[in-house]
Amino acid sequence: MVNIGHRLRNLDSLLNLRTGPGAAILPKDVTRIHMRFALRLEGGHMGPRKFFRENLPRLKFHNPTIPMIVQRNDDNAGPATLSIYFREATGSATAAETPWGITSSRVMDGSIEPPAPGPGERVLTINMRGAHSEKILKDFLTKTGAVAVPISPRDEALKRKLEELEVYAEIDRARVLKEHQDYKREKRMLEQAQSEAAALKAEME
Amino acid sequence: MASFHQCLASMTRLSLRAPARPTAAPTIPMFLMPAAATPAVRYATVNMKKKVVKKKKTYKTFRSYDLTRMDQYSLCEAMRYIRAAEVGQPPNSVKYELAVKLKTNKSGPVIKNQIRLPFPVKNDSRIGVLCADDSPLVAEALELGAVVAGGETLLEDIRNNKIPFNKFVCHADMADALNKARVARILGPKGLMPNIKNKTITKDIKSTMQDMAGAEEYRERRGVVRIAIGQLGFTPHMLSENIKTLMSALKVDISNIEDSYLKALDEVVLSSTHGPGFSLNSLLQPTDGSVKPEDLVSPM
């Protein structure tokens, strides 16, 4: 099994799940979230994918109880929507939302329409098509009224440590690149000299 | 032209190599030098040091680490991170994986067994049963969930490459018929040929089928037992039941191995198809209460 030093270093990357754009706590009345967009990029489906890959994991980490369903298909001409379901203020708090019975999926054909809101539920839809992931996130945070999670002192220290290491990494990268290029250059010159010497030898014989 | 190339080549060589011999050449001509000053030994041999090949230390056991240095997580914490990392992935195809590291010698007996988890990870087993056509076993097998059961008709189907099953059991009475039927060439490469060693030729079809459906095989490779332990959609309760079952089975396996061999549990790591790996500390939820099992039951 991999050395624990390496595995510990890998766990540092969990910082990216805890902090960053999208690390926010959703208000209590958000019941669930549904995303639909295409598997491939063209037709304005780049932003939704970036949001899904980069921001949605952070939202899920800070809101583990809220179901976040992502359905993707191969219809690039189709819509890309982010539906947020809210519990109505007037609806009784005990009205449990009816389970959707759907899960995240990648389908070639078939329906991936966002489900209709259950009783005592309302839905708010954001059109993600053609939008940049940052704009989608901004829309999402303002429309839901989510509260950003401040970075903890421990994470702050870890972040600083990783940034310091990154400075050293940059120096090392430059050094290794130079060494590699020198090696390549010497090798090339040596080969050239050898081939010339061989040609000369052949000429003299 | 030739002389120019020669010159270039030799100059290049000069600029590349550190001189093999010291360049501090005597300024006086060789023949004027006293005989004693001429080096008695050739440089080529002077520079040749006897290379001492350092013997690499070999260890009898696989390396084990001091786990006090490792961050360890409770099951719920690990699941929270994994569910965040895997958000939006199809929950049936993404699996939780468990790696159990053992303290063990590199050579010697290894753990190899199969297990029925309380919540099966895969449920795609299609069992075929070979038994006499007119026996009551056919109806019984079909009732137990076999996709196909029969005798000569089934063998004929297999010869025609109609194989709807991915697991195959044979009743002991049909073993001779099976051997005569010349189907080993078809079933063998698929790993479906029943034999006594695998307990797929049996007198008790019922218990064999029950063992087979949802049974997971595991074995120790390089000191680690790895097995798919759950689907992404599982709740903490389901996953912990599966882990507990596996760990108790492993303890039994270890106790079955002779005492003279070193074999002990070392570390348990939970991971998933795309997620990071977490070393587990035998707790269900963290002591600070940051996440509870009921938080992690929502559909994925």
Side-chain angles (χ1 to χ4, degrees), chain A residues 1 3-4 7-8 11 14 17-18 52 57 60-62 64-65 67 69-70 103-104 106 189-190 196 200 203, chain B residues 2 6 8 16 65-66 69-71 80-81 84 87-91 99 267 269 276-278 295 298-300:
Chain A
M1 202 174 236
N3 175 334
I4 60 168
R7 282 193 273 142
L8 269 173
L11 289 178
L14 296 179
L17 271 177
R18 292 192 294 263
F52 158 59
K60 181 71 183 173
F61 179 76
H62 288 287
T65 49
I69 308 287
V70 179
T103 55
S104 300
R106 291 186 287 250
M189 284 169 77
L190 191 67
E196 275 165 10
L200 201 68
E203 211 172 273
Chain B
Q6 193 176 20
L8 180 72
L16 286 177
Y65 299 93
D66 175 14
R69 280 171 56 215
M70 188 70 190
D71 287 349
R80 182 183 179 186
Y81 277 111
V87 66
Q89 302 291 347
E267 189 188 3
V269 176
F278 296 92
D295 293 344
S298 59
M300 287 297 285

Side-chain angles (χ1 to χ4, degrees), chain A residues 49-111:
Chain A
R49 185 203 276 190
K50 285 282 174 192
F51 177 80
F52 158 59
R53 289 253 188 255
E54 288 172 12
N55 308 120
L56 199 65
R58 296 195 186 109
L59 281 166
K60 181 71 183 173
F61 179 76
H62 288 287
N63 307 279
T65 49
I66 297 178
M68 298 181 186
I69 308 287
V70 179
Q71 295 194 302
R72 288 176 284 169
N73 68 359
D74 60 350
D75 180 16
N76 281 76
T81 58
L82 170 59
S83 313
I84 310 150
Y85 293 74
F86 293 92
R87 196 174 288 119
E88 290 273 31
T90 51
S92 64
T94 50
E97 55 262 25
T98 42
W100 282 342
I102 56 164
T103 55
S104 300
S105 57
R106 291 186 287 250
V107 288
M108 285 306 111
D109 44 6
S111 168

